[in-house]
Amino acid sequence: MIIIDGKEFSKKILEEISNEQKEIVERKNLRPAGLAVIIVGENPASQVYVRNKTRACEKVGFYSETIKLEENISENDLIKKIEELNENDKIDGILVQLPLPKRIDELKVINSIKPEKDVDGFSNVNVGKMVIGDESGFLSCTPYGIMQLLEGYDIDVNGKDVVVVGRSNIVGKPMAMMLIQKGATVQVCNSRTKDLSKKLKKADIIVVAVGVPRMIKATDVKEGVVVIDVGINRVDGKLCGDVDYEDVAQKASYITPVPGGVGPMTIASLIKNTFISYQRKIY
Ligand code: NAP
């Protein structure tokens, strides 16, 4: 069994970007890439995610701005802020940390980001481009990170049977689309799926993005399965995934741990997308 080490893998990606960024700034005398992160309200999990994203920017030598807005900000004022950033030449990527307060229309806000700066890949334009395989868009960070891990570990998805558990717009759905682009046969399951275990047992690769601690057991999967665990759950003060790692690892050929698997790749993909946006502008 091979542990898919997302922490190490993401480090390499960030190192490469950092070196390239340094070279561009020093040799070509150009500005660094810039990422703006908008956070609304005080959600503690969101604060941690935003801090990690800003830290990653600093590590690779990007310019970053964190814009903290009051919980009661109006949808219009939030969109106005985004429009300012759309016109700001120092900013190559704009990210709005989700979730937003319920009264704000998330999709309207996301779609107010210029597609060329939507480095999270959540806007209608970028989702559309992803579905048809138009590489001029941005791929959403978590599934993009997973695709890079699979490729980096030489796990060919072409012709494989894949079960994705979860159908969210940020993980399950884009994950399925990216796998289909690469020739996988994909089944997307949700909370109403009948006989999930039966479906999982037939899969060569499973991707689990549910948010239920240690839901998938060894008895749900076949021998030699590749397991990608997206879940981040806190149980008794410790992080765990949606897969019962110790149990399933005994049957898996490859498995991502939590923490240290998919999580760091999400951030690395965000940094990569921001750098791509920057390079599209400066070259
Ligand atoms: P979400 O929007 O809550 O979606 C969860 C999905 O799981 C839904 O489609 C739901 O089905 C399905 N589901 C729930 N219980 C199920 C069950 N018992 N059997 C089968 N399907 C079930 O969650 P998300 O945003 O995709 O996130 C999922 C998990 O990944 C969370 O733990 C989150 O923290 C984590 N996450 C991690 C990263 C990372 O970078 N590692 C990034 C994003 C999310 P219905 O649609 O029918 O309700």
Side-chain angles (χ1 to χ4, degrees):
M1 188 272 298
I2 294 172
I3 298 171
I4 299 181
D5 189 342
K7 201 171 166 191
E8 206 44 48
F9 199 90
S10 65
K11 236 191 235 169
K12 278 189 214 140
I13 294 176
L14 294 178
E15 252 168 44
E16 272 171 32
I17 293 176
S18 169
N19 291 339
E20 228 179 301
Q21 177 69 94
K22 204 166 165 218
E23 169 110 6
I24 294 172
V25 171
E26 286 177 2
R27 295 246 174 111
K28 300 195 173 157
N29 211 15
L30 292 170
R31 66 166 180 89
L35 176 71
V37 181
I38 299 179
I39 177 166
V40 178
E42 304 287 333
N43 180 325
S46 293
Q47 308 259 3
V48 174
Y49 294 140
V50 167
R51 207 175 314 130
N52 289 343
K53 287 166 188 173
T54 317
R55 271 196 202 136
C57 277
E58 283 163 11
K59 258 193 207 155
V60 296
F62 286 5
Y63 166 74
S64 80
E65 262 182 47
T66 305
I67 295 138
K68 293 185 178 177
L69 301 172
E70 296 290 324
E71 176 84 29
N72 61 3
I73 188 163
S74 71
E75 191 177 280
N76 273 348
D77 286 347
L78 174 56
I79 290 175
K80 257 189 223 151
K81 188 70 221 169
I82 292 172
E83 284 167 351
E84 273 170 43
L85 293 166
N86 280 339
E87 300 311 316
N88 184 337
D89 288 337
K90 283 196 289 191
I91 298 298
D92 304 288
I94 303 168
L95 178 153
V96 177
Q97 185 64 44
L98 302 178
L100 290 172
K102 290 228 158 27
R103 63 198 162 71
I104 295 181
D105 181 345
E106 269 185 10
L107 201 53
K108 191 170 167 195
V109 169
I110 297 298
N111 281 322
S112 71
I113 302 172
K114 262 189 191 171
E116 309 91 85
K117 292 194 179 188
D118 166 36
V119 287
D120 242 347
F122 291 159
S123 65
N124 292 356
V125 170
N126 283 318
V127 171
K129 286 185 174 184
M130 185 246 325
V131 172
I132 59 171
D134 176 345
E135 291 180 0
S136 70
F138 292 110
L139 296 175
S140 54
C141 297
T142 302
Y144 180 32
I146 294 170
M147 293 308 285
Q148 290 175 80
L149 277 181
L150 291 169
E151 200 185 325
Y153 277 79
D154 287 327
I155 300 165
D156 189 4
V157 303
N158 193 10
K160 299 282 165 54
D161 289 330
V162 184
V163 171
V164 176
V165 193
R167 56 168 165 172
S168 70
N169 287 338
I170 63 165
V171 191
K173 282 187 213 162
M175 182 79 259
M177 286 302 156
M178 287 180 209
L179 288 162
I180 289 169
Q181 288 288 348
K182 296 284 177 194
T185 304
V186 184
Q187 201 167 22
V188 184
C189 300
N190 59 62
S191 63
R192 292 156 224 196
T193 298
K194 285 180 279 167
D195 295 329
L196 177 65
S197 185
K198 204 167 153 190
K199 293 177 171 64
L200 286 169
K201 272 193 209 104
K202 289 190 189 149
D204 304 309
I205 301 171
I206 65 173
V207 181
V208 191
V210 167
V212 178
R214 303 190 186 102
M215 183 181 109
I216 308 295
K217 308 285 180 194
T219 47
D220 295 318
V221 301
K222 74 175 179 188
E223 200 70 50
V225 66
V226 173
V227 180
I228 307 293
D229 188 355
V230 185
I232 302 177
N233 309 291
R234 198 169 277 280
V235 177
D236 300 331
K238 274 191 168 174
L239 290 184
C240 74
D242 293 341
V243 172
D244 189 335
Y245 181 86
E246 305 297 335
D247 192 33
V248 175
Q250 294 174 35
K251 265 180 147 178
S253 55
Y254 292 84
I255 188 166
T256 58
V258 178
V262 174
M265 286 303 293
T266 298
I267 294 188
S269 301
L270 172 71
I271 296 294
K272 196 166 173 173
N273 278 346
T274 306
F275 201 52
I276 292 170
S277 170
Y278 165 74
Q279 285 174 310
R280 283 176 185 163
K281 273 199 217 96
I282 63 163
Y283 291 128

Coordinates of all heavy atoms in Angstrom, one line a residue, residues 12 79 138:
K12 N 6.6 20.5 -3.3 CA 7.4 20.5 -4.6 C 6.8 21.6 -5.5 O 7.5 22.3 -6.2 CB 7.4 19.2 -5.2 CG 8.5 18.3 -4.6 CD 8.6 17.0 -5.5 CE 9.0 15.8 -4.5 NZ 8.3 14.6 -4.8
I79 N -20.1 43.1 -3.9 CA -19.8 43.1 -5.3 C -19.0 44.3 -5.7 O -18.1 44.2 -6.6 CB -21.1 42.9 -6.1 CG1 -21.7 41.5 -5.8 CG2 -20.9 43.2 -7.6 CD1 -23.1 41.2 -6.4
F138 N -10.0 28.2 -15.4 CA -9.4 27.7 -14.2 C -10.1 26.5 -13.7 O -11.4 26.6 -13.6 CB -9.3 28.8 -13.2 CG -8.4 29.9 -13.5 CD1 -8.8 31.2 -13.9 CD2 -7.0 29.7 -13.6 CE1 -8.0 32.2 -14.2 CE2 -6.1 30.7 -14.0 CZ -6.6 32.0 -14.3

